[in-house]
């Protein structure tokens, strides 16, 4: 049975990680992804790269940003605003993870 550590939670979504199986659950909008460690970091990197390389459109409410998922059958499609929110969410998770890693250096178990 999973025992979740919450990395992020707000009205747009959440990121939790099971401390037993190490899988992540990422919820954003109407999508929930369950990802192993490798695929979570690949997906986050894809979001970061897409945000940094994305050319803004005139109408930020048009769903035109396609993000593939580890499943070849599933992709997400987002507006510019949704991409910004997902990017910010994953940036905060990344910051939390790095902070925890740094703190663990000073508090070995």
């Amino acid at each position: 049975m999973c025992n979740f550590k919450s990395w992020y939670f707000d009205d747009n979504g959440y990121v939790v990680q099971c401390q037993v199986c190490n899988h992540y659950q990422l919820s954003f909008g109407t999508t929930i992804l369950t990802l192993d460690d490798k695929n979570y970091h690949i997906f986050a990197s894809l979001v970061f790269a897409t945000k940094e390389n994305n050319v803004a459109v005139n109408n930020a409410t048009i769903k035109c940003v396609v993000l593939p998922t580890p499943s070849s059958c599933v992709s997400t499609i987002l507006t510019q605003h949704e991409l910004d929110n997902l990017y910010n969410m994953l940036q905060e998770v990344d910051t939390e993870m790095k902070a925890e890693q740094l703190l663990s250096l000073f508090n070995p178990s």
Side-chain angles (χ1 to χ4, degrees):
M1 179 173 226
C2 286
N3 178 19
F4 289 108
K5 172 181 180 53
S6 179
W7 288 108
Y8 182 90
F9 181 87
D10 78 357
D11 291 342
N12 292 315
Y14 64 82
V15 176
V16 295
Q17 181 181 18
C18 176
Q19 295 181 330
V20 176
C21 68
N22 211 36
H23 282 75
Y24 292 83
Q25 189 173 81
L26 183 154
S27 170
F28 186 79
T30 60
T31 303
I32 296 176
L33 300 174
T34 300
L35 305 164
D36 62 19
D37 188 61
K38 176 184 173 188
N39 282 314
Y40 171 80
H41 291 287
I42 289 171
F43 184 76
S45 295
L46 176 65
V47 171
F48 298 153
T50 301
K51 169 69 176 142
E52 292 166 6
N53 297 318
N54 191 48
V55 177
V57 294
N58 290 337
N59 186 344
T61 62
I62 296 173
K63 289 194 179 276
C64 60
V65 179
V66 177
L67 291 173
T69 69
S71 170
S72 62
C73 301
V74 178
S75 292
T76 61
I77 186 162
L78 307 171
T79 66
Q80 183 70 46
H81 182 68
E82 290 167 335
L83 176 62
D84 293 344
N85 287 338
L86 180 59
Y87 174 85
N88 291 334
M89 181 174 87
L90 293 177
Q91 282 286 66
E92 286 193 40
V93 170
D94 188 57
T95 300
E96 288 293 320
M97 288 178 174
K98 287 178 180 170
E100 186 171 285
Q101 287 174 343
L102 285 173
L103 288 173
S104 72
L105 295 174
F106 299 103
N107 189 17
S109 304

